[in-house]
Amino acid sequence: MFAQSSIRLHAAAFVIFSCICLVTTDVWQTLKARDVQLEEAKVGTFNLSRAAAQQAEDVIKESDTVLVGIVERIEYEGASAASTPRMHNFLASLTRELPQLAGIFLYDEHGNWLATSQTTLATDFNNSDREYFAYHRTHDDRGAYVAGPVHSRSTGKWILPVSRRINKADGSFGGVALATISIEFFKHFYDSLDIGQAGAILLMLETGSIVVRRPFSDDFVGKDLNSSPLLQMYRSQGTVGTLTIASSQDGVLRLISYCRLKRYPLFVAAALSEDEMLAEWRRNTRVHSAGLAVLIAAVGIFGWRLTRQIRLRSQAESKVIRTQKELQRANETLERLAMQDGLTGLANRRRLDLTLNSQFSHAALCHDTLALIMLDVDRFKRYNDTRGHAAGDDCLRAIASVIQVTAASRPGDLVARYGGEEFAVVLPGADADGAMAVAEKIRRAVQDMAMPHVGTAMGVVTISAGVVSLIPQPGQKPSHLLEAADRALYAAKTGGRNRVSYERDPVSSRQGAQGAR
């Protein structure tokens, strides 16, 4: 009797202890999942703020570039009544080419309109009271000036003024060239971004004046946020940062990341609602909690059977763990084989494509260089014909080993077999000189192996290499890098083989690079 009671007591204690462990584990995993969710959201908002900042930078830079040409033209040729129609046509054509521009205007030193991109030149308007006009009149600075958003006097719409000073021949103030960027342009871009129902994007001047905000409202444009926590943190902690605050505009708690424009005194803040960020986590938590409640109930109901089943369950769990480990090892082996060339042991074409796509995207995002070396064994078909395919395989393995040892000196470098007797080396962050040096080092190392080959001028196995290094530009794809490297390899082949050639025009289309194999 006592023994049975002791067993029941131990079983009850075990059930209670198990339930406590289950609840504790589930709570810990749930909190950890929440942290992971917030961290992913933090990365997402940071990337979103950087992308929006780059878009604003590009838009303002394009507009400012237009002003540079106009100012130079006015200061060199002057502005007269006779040239007004010609200038109007010129300004109108520039405005049509840049969709963000609401208009381009030229003012004399008194603020009167000299020329405009609009259909008619208004003579009853004077802009000498505008902030940007007063600034240029009192400052000799020849750079661009971005003022706070204003209502256009010609269209009545919100615009962001970007202006430059015009000097007379003696260096005195001669007027202002103004490009007005439509606030609607930014609004349409921000509306295209997926930030949820309660997300927000904000473009703001460092002075605290809002340029545009999503959700959009006329009341927000030009609003002063000098007292907001966001602006205070921006001024105290630098040009990039992340914080979680309740919005001073609508009270919504958001995770906010901000990023300053490189050339202009503005910054972009991207914010995601914490409620929306954690919505999926909350759903999963409810499911986990319901499952846990069912599990605890089941453990309580069948607790009296635990003593008899614990040994069998322990054996079953051990078997499952062993099976999982074996399966994991098998999966790792399969994954490694799927990414490895069977002959040389190098990365195969599939892994090369994946790595090249990843590194190309990273280089484009970070505006960094990415280099690619394409290598080809000189007259390898003749080597196979004279020495046999087995010897050819040995040759490729030996060359692969030399390339791997010579080229892959950094964790991010990749050596791959491109196909047949072709190899490729991916060098993230390498400039032209560095990539050329690596390629030349490989060429010398292969030549120094002194593997006999009657089909080459040196009498030994040699390779030719094509090198390209570029900073990815908008519209380019990883295939541009491969094509450029292939053209460089073609140049090395047609130039006599056993040499390294550098592609200096990576944008050109590929033409017949296979002819010299």
Side-chain angles (χ1 to χ4, degrees):
M1 186 72 176
F2 178 79
Q4 293 178 353
S5 177
S6 176
I7 292 174
R8 288 195 297 270
L9 181 62
H10 281 85
F14 181 77
V15 169
I16 294 172
F17 176 74
S18 298
C19 291
I20 292 174
C21 290
L22 288 171
V23 171
T24 303
T25 301
D26 189 74
V27 170
W28 179 80
Q29 290 180 338
T30 299
L31 294 176
K32 185 174 180 63
R34 182 180 185 275
D35 292 339
V36 170
Q37 190 79 20
L38 290 175
E39 185 62 28
E40 290 178 351
K42 182 178 179 180
V43 173
T45 57
F46 178 70
N47 289 338
L48 184 60
S49 67
R50 288 188 61 182
Q54 186 62 55
Q55 184 264 354
E57 178 90 24
D58 294 343
V59 167
I60 298 175
K61 181 62 178 175
E62 283 182 342
S63 305
D64 183 32
T65 302
V66 168
L67 292 181
V68 171
I70 293 173
V71 170
E72 192 276 337
R73 182 170 180 173
I74 292 297
E75 291 183 349
Y76 181 77
E77 298 179 358
S80 63
S83 64
T84 297
R86 178 167 168 256
M87 179 60 71
H88 162 72
N89 292 334
F90 175 61
L91 299 182
S93 66
L94 291 176
T95 303
R96 287 191 297 269
E97 291 297 323
L98 298 178
Q100 71 265 32
L101 288 181
I104 305 175
F105 305 85
L106 299 178
Y107 306 104
D108 63 16
E109 66 271 26
H110 304 295
N112 298 316
W113 292 26
L114 291 175
T116 176
S117 60
Q118 296 180 346
T119 306
T120 59
L121 176 65
T123 58
D124 54 344
F125 288 154
N126 184 284
N127 280 39
S128 61
D129 60 329
R130 290 295 200 189
E131 174 192 351
Y132 56 83
F133 194 92
Y135 176 85
H136 288 303
R137 183 168 52 196
T138 57
H139 292 76
D140 294 333
D141 179 18
R142 301 306 305 277
Y145 180 72
V146 182
V150 295
H151 275 109
S152 171
R153 284 176 172 157
S154 57
T155 65
K157 296 181 179 180
W158 281 108
I159 56 172
L160 179 67
V162 180
S163 58
R164 281 184 174 265
R165 174 184 169 120
I166 300 174
N167 279 350
K168 295 181 179 180
D170 60 359
S172 62
F173 177 63
V176 172
L178 172 70
T180 58
I181 302 175
S182 172
I183 298 298
E184 282 288 324
F185 183 83
F186 291 110
K187 175 183 177 296
H188 290 157
F189 175 72
Y190 293 162
D191 286 344
S192 69
L193 301 176
D194 184 8
I195 59 174
Q197 295 297 320
I201 301 181
L202 183 73
L203 177 61
M204 180 187 294
L205 289 163
E206 288 182 329
T207 57
S209 178
I210 295 178
V211 176
V212 62
R213 179 184 186 271
R214 175 187 170 189
F216 181 80
S217 171
D218 274 348
D219 295 337
F220 286 140
V221 181
K223 187 173 182 178
D224 188 359
L225 291 185
N226 264 297
S227 60
S228 68
L230 171 62
L231 197 61
Q232 293 173 9
M233 181 176 179
Y234 170 78
R235 289 172 176 171
S236 63
Q237 297 194 16
T239 58
V240 294
T242 301
L243 70 159
T244 301
I245 57 172
S247 172
S248 60
Q249 305 304 307
D250 53 23
V252 176
L253 184 64
R254 293 186 176 94
L255 174 67
I256 304 177
S257 291
Y258 62 85
C259 180
R260 187 189 187 278
L261 276 64
K262 296 178 182 178
R263 299 182 181 89
Y264 305 101
L266 300 96
F267 69 95
V268 172
L272 298 178
S273 165
E274 187 171 276
D275 283 342
E276 292 182 345
M277 286 187 298
L278 297 178
E280 182 179 357
W281 171 80
R282 291 192 179 98
R283 288 192 296 270
N284 292 336
T285 299
R286 285 193 289 269
V287 173
H288 291 159
S289 299
L292 181 62
V294 172
L295 180 60
I296 292 175
V299 170
I301 294 172
F302 298 100
W304 61 274
R305 301 183 60 185
L306 287 176
T307 303
R308 186 169 60 88
Q309 295 293 329
I310 191 168
R311 180 175 59 84
L312 295 176
R313 183 173 181 176
S314 177
Q315 292 175 351
E317 288 179 349
S318 298
K319 184 177 180 180
V320 168
I321 291 174
R322 288 196 301 271
T323 303
Q324 288 177 338
K325 289 182 177 179
E326 291 173 0
L327 181 60
Q328 182 178 359
R329 286 195 293 269
N331 287 336
E332 290 174 353
T333 300
L334 288 174
E335 184 177 357
R336 184 173 61 255
L337 292 175
M339 294 292 184
Q340 188 177 53
D341 177 58
L343 176 65
T344 64
L346 298 177
N348 61 14
R349 175 66 183 274
R350 180 168 177 259
R351 184 178 174 190
L352 172 65
D353 291 339
L354 292 174
T355 300
L356 195 59
N357 287 337
S358 174
Q359 293 293 353
F360 195 90
S361 298
H362 177 76
L365 181 64
C366 299
H367 204 63
D368 197 4
T369 56
L370 177 62
L372 177 65
I373 304 174
M374 293 289 289
L375 307 111
D376 185 89
V377 183
D378 293 330
R379 303 197 183 281
F380 186 70
K381 183 178 183 303
R382 186 175 299 179
Y383 187 92
N384 269 343
D385 292 343
T386 57
R387 302 181 68 90
H389 289 284
D393 290 347
D394 291 339
C395 175
L396 291 178
R397 280 191 286 266
I399 291 175
S401 178
V402 168
I403 297 174
Q404 180 70 37
V405 172
T406 306
S409 60
R410 303 175 303 171
D413 297 341
L414 179 73
V415 179
R417 186 183 180 192
Y418 189 73
E421 67 272 20
E422 284 190 282
F423 300 88
V425 182
V426 181
L427 301 173
D431 58 13
D433 291 338
M436 286 288 288
V438 172
E440 179 61 25
K441 187 177 179 182
I442 296 172
R443 187 200 65 78
R444 289 198 305 268
V446 172
Q447 179 179 303
D448 291 345
M449 286 195 306
M451 296 177 63
H453 185 3
V454 297
T456 66
M458 298 288 296
V460 297
V461 172
T462 60
I463 62 169
S464 299
V467 180
V468 62
S469 176
L470 57 77
I471 298 176
Q473 301 298 318
Q476 288 185 330
K477 299 178 180 179
S479 59
H480 290 90
L481 198 64
L482 283 169
E483 292 169 359
D486 203 52
R487 289 196 301 273
L489 177 58
Y490 174 75
K493 288 289 189 180
T494 57
R497 295 182 173 82
N498 191 24
R499 64 189 61 224
V500 177
S501 178
Y502 177 67
E503 171 62 34
R504 301 186 180 278
D505 186 14
V507 182
S508 299
S509 60
R510 181 176 179 176
Q511 297 179 350
Q514 301 297 330
R517 296 290 189 272

